[in-house]
Amino acid sequence: MDDDDVFELLAELDALERARDERVSLLDTRAVLRGLADRIRAQFGFDVSLIGLVEGRDLVLRLWSGTRDSRLHDLPVPIGLGVGGRVAAAGSPIVVPNYYRSNRITHDFDAHVRAEGLGSMAAVPVRTGEVRGVLYGAVRGEAEVGDDAVDGLRRLARLAGLAVDVADGAVTLADTAVVEERRRLAASLHDSVGAMLFGVGSSVRRLREQAVPGVDDQLERIEQQLAAAGMALRESISRLRVGSDRDPVRLTADIAESVHAFSQRSGVAASFVPVGGSPRLDPARAALVKRVVDEGLLNVEKHARARSVVVTLAVSDRLTVAVLDDGVGIQEQAAGTGAGLPALRRQVERTGGTLSLLNTDEGGAVLRCELPAPSPSGEVALV
């Protein structure tokens, strides 16, 4: 591999990052949520609708419909304050028949609400396991928010949660693709450039042994340059590889790699579909999730006679990983499962989870593992 090849490999990284950004931008979540904001008003009789997204310690009002004043636009609401901040903190809906007289909320934003002439307000959380945002509906004057309108807000909040989940899944897939390509580039650099530097170093050492007059100083400089090049190469490879064992993208990249390897060796079409973001697990539980996927794929390969397989990974109130196939079902698979699944089930149950292998209604089988969802610190809580 010459210098041009090295530069070509490194240029691939820039192209890869651009492709990742393009993939994510194809799914315009804000456009979906903007449509929901309009729908809140059109279907349920609200004068104003707002959608706030949790960003760090604030709920930021990013989308709106029907406003007359700009004071609520992009307004950061600290978690716990006002109507939306309370909903984001508690994770439950709230209805305020008279905003200004309510003792259920703080009144940090009375001036903003008064500028819109709003009187009654309802807000519901948007959840994907944790609260990710809040949908508001409000009416002007003395009118109150009815139960039907609140129920409608709840239904739309579920759609908003789905939109956020799909967007997170798209980001996860894009990030996973980046990690897989970076791994490939790291291996390529190690095998090609690393071998080239080793070969040059060996040639220099042989020349030294021949004791050719007048070249010792030049050989020493070359050896120093090779040592510097080798160090730079190792640093580059280290940066290309995934970081710590707790990096959430590492798990999704490992699963994607297992699915790809399964498809390559078995000839069965297989895909990996993450729902939401990558879970942040401790190394032991990440390894357990990976083992569930590997065991499920091995079982399909040996016994299912499937034409396609889908592996999913999702986090809501539980972390769920599933291996779904369209094969013969578990009746014919059961005889060949051996000790692998029972041993895996015991391991899963020790962490407070469940593992099941069931037939699907459409034919085929699904291996499903559910574990306690990660806590905010990133650990999976034990029950």
Side-chain angles (χ1 to χ4, degrees):
M1 173 178 286
D2 57 25
D3 288 347
D4 290 340
D5 294 324
V6 175
F7 286 125
E8 185 177 338
L9 276 175
L10 296 177
E12 285 187 43
L13 282 179
D14 292 333
L16 185 63
E17 294 292 346
R18 290 195 297 272
R20 182 259 186 210
D21 293 340
E22 289 170 4
R23 288 186 190 183
V24 172
S25 67
L26 288 176
L27 183 65
D28 189 350
T29 311
R30 293 293 176 89
V32 175
L33 296 179
R34 194 175 300 112
L36 286 178
D38 292 336
R39 187 171 170 187
I40 288 170
R41 294 180 58 227
Q43 282 193 241
F44 304 111
F46 291 107
D47 295 314
V48 171
S49 63
L50 301 161
I51 299 180
L53 302 176
V54 174
E55 299 177 14
R57 297 182 179 181
D58 292 330
L59 177 77
V60 185
L61 307 185
R62 291 300 190 193
L63 300 118
W64 47 84
S65 180
T67 56
R68 298 171 179 170
D69 187 271
S70 63
R71 297 187 208 185
L72 292 172
H73 298 179
D74 295 314
L75 176 69
V77 178
I79 302 297
L81 301 187
V83 171
R86 176 182 172 129
V87 170
S92 55
I94 184 173
V95 179
V96 181
N98 187 307
Y99 184 91
Y100 309 101
R101 296 178 185 173
S102 175
N103 59 7
R104 302 178 63 193
I105 60 171
T106 68
H107 286 273
D108 302 80
F109 306 101
D110 284 9
H112 302 72
V113 174
R114 189 172 286 111
E116 285 292 343
L118 304 177
S120 181
M121 188 178 296
V124 299
V126 175
R127 307 186 68 110
T128 62
E130 59 186 9
V131 176
R132 301 289 300 277
V134 174
L135 299 191
Y136 297 74
V139 294
R140 294 188 170 95
E142 301 296 325
E144 293 189 2
V145 176
D147 292 340
D148 289 344
V150 176
D151 289 341
L153 266 185
R154 286 196 179 100
R155 291 196 299 274
L156 293 184
R158 286 193 288 273
L159 290 179
L162 178 60
V164 172
D165 252 346
V166 170
D168 286 348
V171 172
T172 299
L173 276 177
D175 288 342
T176 299
V178 169
V179 169
E180 288 183 295
E181 186 64 8
R182 289 170 74 94
R183 284 178 172 176
R184 186 189 70 77
L185 290 175
S188 178
L189 283 172
H190 178 273
D191 294 343
S192 56
V193 181
M196 179 181 67
L197 291 177
F198 179 80
V200 174
S202 297
S203 298
V204 170
R205 286 190 292 274
R206 285 195 297 272
L207 286 174
R208 271 188 173 280
E209 291 169 0
Q210 295 173 15
V212 179
V215 300
D216 280 353
D217 290 344
Q218 296 180 41
L219 292 175
E220 184 174 350
R221 284 197 297 273
I222 293 173
E223 283 186 321
Q224 291 172 352
Q225 291 169 352
L226 286 172
M231 182 177 295
L233 175 64
R234 288 191 293 274
E235 289 177 356
S236 297
I237 290 173
S238 178
R239 291 193 186 99
L240 283 170
R241 287 174 175 154
V242 181
S244 72
D245 288 341
R246 292 177 183 271
D247 188 331
V249 182
R250 181 177 186 131
L251 174 60
T252 54
D254 287 344
I255 292 174
E257 197 172 273
S258 287
V259 171
H260 178 71
F262 161 83
S263 187
Q264 289 291 103
R265 68 175 182 264
S266 68
V268 177
S271 56
F272 171 45
V273 182
V275 180
S278 300
R280 188 177 296 276
L281 305 180
D282 63 89
R285 286 173 175 80
L288 178 58
V289 171
K290 174 71 162 45
R291 186 184 165 196
V292 169
V293 172
D294 289 341
E295 185 70 25
L297 292 174
L298 181 62
N299 201 46
V300 171
E301 186 176 357
K302 286 183 174 180
H303 312 294
R305 302 202 297 276
R307 291 170 297 176
S308 64
V309 177
V310 176
V311 176
T312 62
L313 178 69
V315 180
S316 55
D317 55 336
R318 305 274 282 177
L319 184 151
T320 303
V321 60
V323 181
L324 176 69
D325 70 74
D326 62 355
V328 296
I330 63 174
Q331 290 85 357
E332 294 188 37
Q333 295 184 43
T337 55
L341 285 180
L344 185 56
R345 182 177 289 111
R346 289 192 294 271
Q347 188 176 355
V348 169
E349 289 173 350
R350 282 197 293 271
T351 69
T354 61
L355 182 72
S356 61
L357 176 62
L358 302 170
N359 285 319
T360 64
D361 294 337
E362 298 80 14
V366 57
L367 177 69
R368 185 183 306 276
C369 173
E370 293 189 355
L371 296 170
S375 68
S377 66
E379 303 292 338
V380 174
L382 295 177
V383 295

